[in-house]
Amino acid sequence: MHTHWIKGLTGEKKEQRKAEVLAYRNAFDDLREILEKHYRKKDCIRDYDAPNWELRQIAANEYNAVLDDILKTINLTEGK
């Protein structure tokens, strides 16, 4: 479980929040499958002669980074 879910919480409130988030596991697993199926990572831009290829590469990199961040946040498996 990513620490974003319990940031700033201590003691009993932290444990309650962990239990609450873990109860979302099935929904998060379904969401992960949807994201992996319908929101695939963008390919690298290799057309260096095209105008603004570097801007399109930056956009692809940012898209991929956000997708990775979302997948990490909804992954509730310990140690991942």
Side-chain angles (χ1 to χ4, degrees):
M1 177 186 302
H2 201 287
T3 58
H4 292 321
W5 295 109
I6 54 174
K7 189 173 186 174
L9 300 175
T10 59
E12 186 178 324
K13 288 189 178 198
K14 182 177 179 179
E15 295 306 315
Q16 287 174 342
R17 182 65 175 153
K18 279 184 182 180
E20 180 182 28
V21 172
L22 288 173
Y24 305 149
R25 180 182 298 274
N26 291 339
F28 286 155
D29 288 345
D30 291 344
L31 177 58
R32 187 192 74 250
E33 287 179 22
I34 290 168
L35 291 172
E36 289 174 345
K37 182 176 181 182
H38 298 288
Y39 298 91
R40 295 186 180 142
K41 288 190 169 193
K42 303 289 183 189
D43 292 330
C44 293
I45 308 302
R46 301 279 187 215
D47 188 6
Y48 303 120
D49 293 328
N52 298 321
W53 70 267
E54 58 276 305
L55 298 178
R56 289 185 288 138
Q57 181 60 52
I58 290 168
N61 291 348
E62 290 175 348
Y63 176 91
N64 293 341
V66 169
L67 189 57
D68 283 341
D69 288 345
I70 292 169
L71 290 170
K72 286 178 192 173
T73 301
I74 63 173
N75 181 359
L76 301 181
T77 306
E78 294 292 328
K80 293 200 177 190

